[in-house]
Amino acid sequence: MTTQRAQQWGLTPPLTVVLPTDKELAANDALIAELKKQNNFESHEDTERRKKVLQLIQSATIEFVRQVCRRQKLSQHVIDNAGGKIFTFGSFRLGVFGPGSDIDTLVVGPRNVSRDDFFSLFPSVLESLAPANAIEELTSVPDAHVPIIKMELCGISIDLIYTRLMLAEVPKNQTLNDMNLLIGLTETDLRCLNGTRVTDEILQLVPQQKPFRTALRAIKLWAKRRAIYANIIGFPGGVAWAMLVARVCQLYPKATGSVIVGKFFNIIGRWQWPTPILLKAIETGPRSDQRIYPSDKFHKMPIITPAYPSMCSTHNITESTKEIIKREVVRGGEIADKIWHSKSGWKDLFTRHTFFTQGYKYYLSIIAASRSKEAQQIWSGRVESKVRFLVMALDDNQSIILAHPFNKGFDRVHECKSEEEVDKVLKGSLEFQAKGTKTETTDLKNDAKHGAAAQDGGDNINIPSVTEEVEQNGVEHHMIFTTTYYVGIEISTDQTKRLDISWPIKDFSLKCTDWRAPDSHVNKYDENINSIQVVTTRNFDLPDDVFEPGEARPTRPVKTKTVTKQPLKKRGFEEANLEGQTQTAAKRQSNGNGR
């Protein structure tokens, strides 16, 4: 008698195909209940509203394509059959969206409808079909790495991107899984198609979508709470976390979502990096320009997308962020073990990070500033795109064990009455934070131009001109917009190592300010508009607005006078050579408005 071989998902056979036990099913129910308590699911009514919004965008897509065809004086037959279709990707397509989540949407048109047509005509077509005042905060960034239109439509955040296929018609049943559709497309077109193709492949490569979605909701919430969710800064983004969960699902095809979460920490915690995570074998395809870059072999934690052309989704991970992820996975595994032994609950897995409260004694505060909101949207994005380079340089310093970047920036608005006050703000003072404004984090603000500039450094984005109002009612007046990024520093206890981080900071500043479009000799950085400063901050001098209500902030240690004879005095972090940029935080900061 022959035994039936279990179906294989992915590159290796499953580790087990045992059906869930009653205990595992109960744990899954408890996990879902906790996710609901954490407000991870939205109401049925809100989901239905999303569906209606997508129907509206689909109708606008067909009408938009028809109008372009009419302008081109094409025949009525062509106009009637040109079509046009939308595809979703990201959290909505994966089925793990929650209250306030945006909908990533790809608009696909036939070959005669260009991206220029999309940016010039689509917004007005959508507005003509939408209810009155349904569109708010529409922002177009046509020169971004992935050109995008961001808006609020009927109260739902929408990210729209566009591509055309080399087809005369895009019917309602059009799919994107045929890799031959990629022939003849530009690099920008490929980037736009990539999100949908990768998301669809992930869903096809998991054994069961329901447990996958439950587990992914839990892992995404855990990663966000632990501040290790941010592709630009150097942590996995949403797609990478989804692929990690999908790989564990392939190994346990019959498991519940709760079991997948527990196994996730076990499998990923023991993974032998830099062995790549793959959901299937890498495919070759019809395009002759698929390239393998020499730098690919230096990726720390490669997680490879399954759709052709495959690429590493985690190339931004540094040695420090890799170590931080590994530590958090170990911690998560310990909590998961306690949950399965009934010594803890799922809520303990989702406790907030301690980056500011217990994380580090010393921090670097990276302050990007501009004299207009519009300029700051792009400049702050560029600085964010370079933070990982500073972390990589600090990783090479033997006196530093770990350089931990926080996964979001803090946006603040300041009102100054003199250039002296402006200078204080540029160096980190919150004394002049504008009344009536509150600090916002970059993830919650979700600004389109900031996000576009963070993707590629803003090299291709045009900088708006600045006309600053320097006088108001006869009084000197300056509005300064800042975004601050924090990097926690873990210092070696080896007192023989000299701490000098002047070169990494100088090199980082140069990377930010050497701002040129490809094939251009013109530097877009203007010191009269933009500024970048890096200053040190002790944990007890961190501003109030980085802490949540009720969190215990670090306190200044009480010094005791002792007379000891030491052969070698260790250099404090505040003594590190920053070429005049380092200042005592207590002198520099005066806390402004909280969030």
Side-chain angles (χ1 to χ4, degrees):
M1 180 173 161
T2 59
T3 57
Q4 186 176 1
R5 185 177 181 181
Q7 181 178 353
Q8 179 171 318
W9 300 84
L11 296 176
T12 58
L15 297 178
T16 179
V17 291
V18 175
L19 293 174
T21 65
D22 290 342
K23 180 181 179 180
E24 291 168 349
L25 292 170
N28 193 64
D29 291 340
L31 173 58
I32 293 173
E34 183 59 38
L35 289 171
K36 289 179 178 178
K37 287 182 182 178
Q38 299 281 348
N39 197 31
N40 200 258
F41 293 87
E42 72 175 10
S43 67
H44 174 73
E45 292 76 18
D46 286 342
T47 300
E48 288 301 310
R49 189 156 54 96
R50 288 178 183 270
K51 292 179 181 178
K52 290 180 180 179
V53 165
L54 289 173
Q55 290 170 2
L56 174 60
I57 297 174
Q58 175 60 45
S59 298
T61 296
I62 294 174
E63 178 58 26
F64 154 67
V65 171
R66 290 174 64 89
Q67 289 196 21
V68 173
C69 291
R70 288 194 195 101
R71 290 186 177 191
Q72 295 173 347
K73 301 186 185 313
L74 301 179
S75 70
Q76 191 61 44
H77 175 77
V78 172
I79 293 172
D80 292 339
N81 291 279
K85 185 177 179 180
I86 67 168
F87 298 82
T88 59
F89 57 101
S91 63
F92 183 82
R93 178 71 180 96
L94 289 171
V96 293
F97 57 94
S101 297
D102 57 13
I103 304 180
D104 297 311
T105 309
L106 169 67
V107 177
V108 176
R111 61 191 176 207
N112 62 300
V113 181
S114 70
R115 187 169 287 106
D116 288 340
D117 293 327
F118 175 72
F119 278 94
S120 63
L121 187 57
F122 189 89
S124 61
V125 172
L126 180 60
E127 186 174 11
S128 69
L129 297 179
N133 303 316
I135 299 177
E136 298 179 294
E137 301 178 13
L138 188 148
T139 303
S140 297
V141 193
D143 43 5
H145 192 60
V146 178
I148 187 171
I149 296 176
K150 182 181 283 289
M151 72 179 79
E152 291 284 324
L153 179 57
C154 299
I156 296 173
S157 180
I158 304 291
D159 288 356
L160 286 176
I161 60 177
Y162 176 82
T163 193
R164 60 179 171 183
L165 301 178
M166 295 297 106
L167 303 174
E169 301 173 359
V170 178
K172 290 182 179 179
N173 63 349
Q174 181 68 53
T175 64
L176 301 175
N177 57 337
D178 183 359
M179 65 175 67
N180 288 311
L181 291 173
L182 307 183
I183 298 174
L185 299 185
T186 66
E187 289 291 330
T188 302
D189 290 327
L190 285 177
R191 289 192 291 268
C192 291
L193 279 170
N194 186 60
T196 299
R197 285 172 49 79
V198 168
T199 305
D200 287 350
E201 283 270 16
I202 292 172
L203 291 175
Q204 292 170 13
L205 291 167
V206 294
Q208 301 182 81
Q209 292 188 10
K210 189 173 181 180
F212 165 72
R213 285 168 171 157
T214 299
L216 182 55
R217 281 182 180 275
I219 293 302
K220 285 185 66 172
L221 179 60
W222 162 78
K224 288 180 178 180
R225 291 285 172 82
R226 302 308 297 174
I228 54 171
Y229 188 106
N231 178 50
I232 303 300
I233 293 293
F235 296 104
V239 172
W241 288 117
M243 288 188 288
L244 289 175
V245 173
R247 183 65 186 117
V248 178
C249 288
Q250 291 179 334
L251 298 173
Y252 299 90
K254 302 293 185 182
T256 64
S258 57
V259 170
I260 295 300
V261 172
K263 298 299 184 183
F264 173 91
F265 294 112
N266 184 34
I267 296 293
I268 304 306
R270 297 183 180 184
W271 195 262
Q272 297 300 305
W273 304 106
T275 303
I277 294 281
L278 290 162
L279 298 183
K280 69 175 190 180
I282 296 176
E283 296 178 316
T284 57
R287 289 180 63 95
S288 60
D289 58 348
Q290 185 179 16
R291 295 181 291 272
I292 297 176
Y293 296 95
S295 60
D296 290 351
K297 62 183 179 182
F298 298 113
H299 293 158
K300 309 293 183 182
M301 302 178 75
I303 303 171
I304 310 301
T305 57
Y308 172 84
S310 294
M311 59 190 70
C312 179
S313 65
T314 47
H315 62 276
N316 286 343
I317 289 179
T318 66
E319 197 62 47
S320 278
T321 54
K322 173 187 172 183
E323 177 61 28
I324 294 157
I325 295 164
K326 290 171 65 177
R327 291 181 184 181
E328 287 293 344
V329 169
V330 169
R331 174 190 171 276
E334 292 171 350
I335 295 173
D337 287 343
K338 291 179 181 178
I339 292 171
W340 285 105
H341 288 90
S342 302
K343 296 180 179 179
S344 189
W346 287 110
K347 68 176 182 180
D348 296 321
L349 184 65
F350 306 127
T351 55
R352 179 175 149 89
H353 63 84
T354 56
F355 179 84
F356 294 110
T357 56
Q358 303 173 25
Y360 301 94
K361 187 176 180 180
Y362 302 102
Y363 296 82
L364 291 180
S365 299
I366 303 166
I367 306 157
S370 299
R371 291 183 181 257
S372 79
K373 178 182 177 180
E374 295 73 21
Q376 181 64 5
Q377 288 173 316
I378 302 170
W379 174 239
S380 62
R382 176 172 179 78
V383 172
E384 180 175 313
S385 74
K386 305 300 180 184
V387 168
R388 66 186 178 93
F389 292 103
L390 174 59
V391 172
M392 290 168 63
L394 294 173
D395 283 343
D396 291 336
N397 191 306
Q398 293 185 350
S399 296
I400 295 175
I401 297 174
L402 196 72
H404 183 171
F406 192 57
N407 67 333
K408 61 195 75 171
F410 291 79
D411 287 336
R412 304 177 177 104
V413 182
H414 312 263
E415 194 168 8
C416 303
K417 297 179 180 178
S418 68
E419 286 295 338
E420 288 75 17
E421 292 181 356
V422 169
D423 188 59
K424 290 182 179 180
V425 167
L426 300 185
K427 294 176 180 177
S429 172
L430 304 187
E431 183 180 353
F432 309 105
Q433 196 165 355
K435 295 179 180 179
T437 66
K438 64 177 183 178
T439 302
E440 296 182 280
T441 52
T442 49
D443 63 323
L444 294 178
K445 201 169 182 180
N446 197 21
D447 180 83
K449 292 184 178 179
H450 168 93
Q455 285 290 332
D456 66 347
D459 290 336
N460 293 303
I461 301 178
N462 295 321
I463 310 303
S465 58
V466 175
T467 54
E468 184 191 12
E469 182 182 4
V470 296
E471 190 172 299
Q472 193 174 80
N473 297 325
V475 179
E476 192 174 346
H477 180 264
H478 306 273
M479 296 300 296
I480 304 298
F481 300 82
T482 64
T483 305
T484 304
Y485 298 91
Y486 295 93
V487 180
I489 304 295
E490 186 176 328
I491 304 174
S492 171
T493 57
D494 185 353
Q495 297 190 12
T496 64
K497 294 179 180 178
R498 182 175 181 270
L499 179 59
D500 185 349
I501 56 174
S502 58
W503 181 85
I505 290 176
K506 182 185 291 185
D507 183 66
F508 165 71
S509 298
L510 181 60
K511 279 183 168 64
C512 293
T513 57
D514 188 16
W515 191 3
R516 307 169 197 272
D519 303 320
S520 173
H521 299 293
V522 179
N523 192 347
K524 294 190 285 187
Y525 176 75
D526 186 344
E527 64 181 7
N528 296 313
I529 299 173
N530 310 118
S531 168
I532 178 71
Q533 293 279 344
V534 182
V535 296
T536 59
T537 305
R538 290 289 297 268
N539 57 357
F540 51 78
D541 284 321
L542 288 166
D544 289 338
D545 56 11
V546 303
F547 299 97
E548 291 288 336
E551 283 187 330
R553 58 175 299 151
T555 57
R556 184 185 296 271
V558 178
K559 292 184 179 180
T560 56
K561 292 185 178 180
T562 56
V563 179
T564 57
K565 200 169 184 180
Q566 296 182 346
L568 180 64
K569 181 179 179 295
K570 180 185 176 183
R571 296 190 61 180
F573 190 73
E574 64 273 11
E575 297 177 77
N577 182 9
L578 300 183
E579 295 204 341
Q581 295 188 69
T582 302
Q583 303 173 31
T584 304
K587 294 180 181 179
R588 184 178 68 247
Q589 291 191 0
S590 174
N591 292 332
N593 301 329
R595 279 182 292 175

